[in-house]
Amino acid sequence: MELPTEYTVTKRDLARRRNLRLAAWSAPFALAGVPLVVTLSALLLFSFSSPTAAVVLFLGLILTAIGFLAGVGISAYFSHRRSEFTKQLTEKIASDGISASEVDWFRKELSSAERRSLKAISDRDPLLADTYRDALASRLTATRIVKSSKRELQLMRQRDAKLRQLKGPAAMRVELDRDIRRIESVRNDASSLLAEAQTRLQIIEAASVRSGSIAESEIALKKLSLRARDLPIALEHARLADEIRRELEEEEKDGEK
């Protein structure tokens, strides 16, 4: 059995994906903007009578609306093309397993909690974020294997049921049973890896929250210690200021007498 080769995203792939996105965004503005600019330029450059100018403006607005609607349709087409291309690209990337550096390609497959945790850990501890990405890659790979093995297992069982119903060759049924057991083994192994990856994610998230809260508590404690240390000095300063104020008041009273 030939193992799938590692697929590397090329600059051409990135450029094509970027161009499809640009085409999807620019199509409505380009197709609506051209007739609008031509209409306004014609009205400014040529001296039309009022009825003619109104007709030109009316036709220009109609062409602008038609261009905008056509642009929206073309934009939807390019958006669909980009979505399909991205899907094909991610399937090629995932064919040999997802690595930590490829997690960003599969952000749509991450849960909202995982996306929030990844952002928070990346901001707080880049080294821990690399470990978290690696665990996410394992989770994504295991999830994909579990889903695909379930689909294949369902198809195999349907074929086996039809073959038994039609009383097909015994050798073929034996082969199907062997394939079913093999797929079940793959699914069970992937389920174990998925549970392990989810456990790793929870451990890393807990470690990140714990280290962050401890660090914040230590900083707050240091600030509190500094304030407590400065408190006697502040009290002494206030006492001296009060004594000086009293002495000045007494001197003023003696002077008045």
Side-chain angles (χ1 to χ4, degrees):
M1 181 179 179
E2 185 179 355
L3 294 175
T5 57
E6 182 179 358
Y7 184 82
T8 303
V9 179
T10 63
K11 292 182 178 180
R12 184 178 180 182
D13 293 331
L14 296 175
R16 183 180 178 186
R17 188 167 178 263
R18 184 173 58 252
N19 292 336
L20 288 172
R21 181 181 182 182
L22 180 61
W25 277 99
S26 61
F29 300 102
L31 293 180
V34 170
L36 182 61
V37 170
V38 171
T39 301
L40 295 178
S41 299
L43 291 174
L44 292 174
L45 295 177
F46 301 100
S47 300
F48 294 112
S49 60
S50 297
T52 306
V55 172
V56 171
L57 180 61
F58 179 72
L59 292 176
L61 292 177
I62 290 178
L63 291 175
T64 300
I66 294 174
F68 180 77
L69 293 176
V72 170
I74 294 174
S75 176
Y77 169 74
F78 280 118
S79 297
H80 176 71
R81 286 282 304 276
R82 182 177 182 271
S83 177
E84 289 296 320
F85 177 72
T86 302
K87 184 178 179 180
Q88 294 174 3
L89 202 58
T90 53
E91 290 298 329
K92 291 179 181 179
I93 295 172
S95 61
D96 62 320
I98 302 170
S99 64
S101 60
E102 297 168 341
V103 168
D104 288 336
W105 285 95
F106 301 88
R107 280 189 172 271
K108 289 184 178 180
E109 299 182 24
L110 299 178
S111 65
S112 57
E114 289 173 341
R115 287 194 291 269
R116 287 195 301 269
S117 297
L118 178 59
K119 185 179 184 305
I121 296 173
S122 299
D123 294 339
R124 186 178 299 159
D125 190 343
L127 292 178
L128 190 61
D130 291 339
T131 306
Y132 191 73
R133 283 178 177 273
D134 185 65
L136 281 176
S138 300
R139 203 278 294 167
L140 289 169
T141 302
T143 301
R144 281 175 160 261
I145 294 175
V146 169
K147 289 181 178 179
S148 62
S149 60
K150 283 183 178 179
R151 289 194 300 267
E152 292 181 7
L153 188 60
Q154 185 178 4
L155 291 175
M156 285 292 181
R157 284 173 175 170
Q158 289 176 356
R159 292 173 185 172
D160 183 61
K162 289 181 180 179
L163 193 62
R164 292 180 184 277
Q165 185 179 2
L166 297 174
K167 297 181 180 180
M172 188 174 293
R173 292 203 302 268
V174 170
E175 288 293 331
L176 277 176
D177 290 338
R178 187 181 303 166
D179 291 338
I180 289 173
R181 288 195 299 270
R182 188 181 304 164
I183 295 173
E184 286 178 343
S185 176
V186 170
R187 186 190 62 178
N188 293 334
D189 291 342
S191 298
S192 300
L193 292 174
L194 177 59
E196 181 182 346
Q198 290 174 337
T199 302
R200 286 178 59 197
L201 289 173
Q202 293 175 359
I203 292 173
I204 296 171
E205 289 172 3
S208 174
V209 172
R210 180 174 176 273
S211 61
S213 60
I214 290 176
E216 292 171 358
S217 299
E218 288 178 346
I219 292 173
L221 185 60
K222 288 180 180 179
K223 289 182 178 179
L224 185 60
S225 300
L226 291 174
R227 290 175 183 173
R229 188 179 61 187
D230 293 339
L231 183 59
I233 299 175
L235 292 175
E236 181 66 19
H237 178 74
R239 187 183 64 80
L240 292 174
D242 186 60
E243 289 181 357
I244 293 172
R245 181 178 57 79
R246 289 179 181 178
E247 291 178 359
L248 291 174
E249 289 178 353
E250 290 177 358
E251 290 179 358
E252 289 179 357
K253 290 180 180 179
D254 293 339
E256 290 177 356
K257 292 179 180 179

